[in-house]
Amino acid sequence: MIPFSATLDFRSGYLTPHEAALERRLSEMLGAYADAEAARRLIGDAGDPVIYRAFDAPVPEERGHLVYRTTIISPGRVGAEYFMTKGHHHELDSAEFYLGMAGTGLMVMQDRAGVLQVEKLTPDVTVYVPPGWAHRTVNIGDDNLVFLAVYPGDARHDYASIERDGFTARVLATDDGPEVVMAE
Ligand code: PA5
Ligand code: MN
């Protein structure tokens, strides 16, 4: 392929040109949230809200390339739990680079032994995810959380292990603001 440039709108997260656009609704990630009853209620009341969208750069998912994607997580909660991504490992245990572009978020990361690390993601912050660390991004603000993620072309997302084992911590809204709480 030949070199190209793409325009990144930091406020909206819109990437031009982009190859694919992903839209993840609550009904597609029910198992991720602790409060199943609140999720069902929200789907009934809000008509299955879009939790997040993503735009992929037109880069081949092959060894040697760097693929990148913007994600836009809407503000909101399922019960006390903030809207968030499904979360995943990468099949090759490859590293990933995140850049906050708008809004306020937390990245919940855990390694294969279950060690937990939480980092804030805001427009002035980059987060490095080392090989072997699963990651999930949580929108703890009142506006869209927008960020960029860059990773090796052959990294491939592995959702199955997180769907099976879950994360050891959840981010919940409390009277004192967002709190990271160990999962039951
Ligand atoms: O690769 C990444 O970490 C991101 O680009 C995510 O894929 C994106 O934020 C969407 O989250 P998930 O893949 O967990 O649905
Ligand atoms: Mn990733």
Side-chain angles (χ1 to χ4, degrees):
M1 72 184 291
I2 55 170
F4 70 94
S5 57
T7 306
L8 197 50
D9 184 321
F10 272 49
R11 276 180 64 83
S12 68
Y14 206 78
L15 185 64
T16 317
H18 60 261
E19 189 173 69
L22 170 97
E23 206 175 68
R24 193 94 74 195
R25 290 180 184 273
L26 179 55
S27 62
E28 299 164 71
M29 54 180 303
L30 281 176
Y33 293 95
D35 191 340
E37 186 47 46
R40 267 193 297 274
R41 250 194 334 265
L42 193 57
I43 289 173
D45 295 349
D48 199 6
V50 173
I51 306 293
Y52 54 101
R53 299 189 160 82
F55 296 103
D56 287 335
V59 176
E61 293 194 338
E62 293 168 7
R63 182 155 181 263
H65 285 280
L66 278 178
V67 296
Y68 58 100
R69 159 186 284 185
T70 57
T71 303
I72 304 101
I73 308 179
S74 306
R77 286 177 0 212
V78 178
E81 203 168 10
Y82 294 98
F83 283 6
M84 61 188 182
T85 59
K86 283 182 82 165
H88 55 269
H89 273 285
H90 286 276
E91 280 175 17
L92 286 185
D93 272 359
S94 40
E96 184 155 359
F97 170 84
Y98 269 65
L99 168 69
M101 299 196 298
T104 310
L106 290 179
M107 285 186 72
V108 178
M109 296 169 277
Q110 77 188 32
D111 72 5
R112 299 235 179 232
V115 176
L116 183 75
Q117 181 73 20
V118 178
E119 295 291 333
K120 202 155 185 187
L121 188 66
T122 51
D124 51 357
V125 167
T126 62
V127 176
Y128 181 69
V129 184
W133 285 74
H135 41 284
R136 158 177 287 164
T137 317
V138 183
N139 184 354
I140 59 169
D142 297 328
D143 304 307
N144 283 347
L145 174 66
V146 183
F147 57 90
L148 173 77
V150 186
Y151 44 103
D154 56 356
R156 307 239 174 258
H157 293 71
D158 162 24
Y159 294 101
S161 53
I162 284 301
E163 278 168 3
R164 189 187 57 231
D165 304 332
F167 280 83
T168 56
R170 298 185 175 279
V171 185
L172 305 181
T174 73
D175 290 344
D176 299 326
E179 260 183 37
V180 179
V181 175
M182 296 315 283
E184 284 160 24

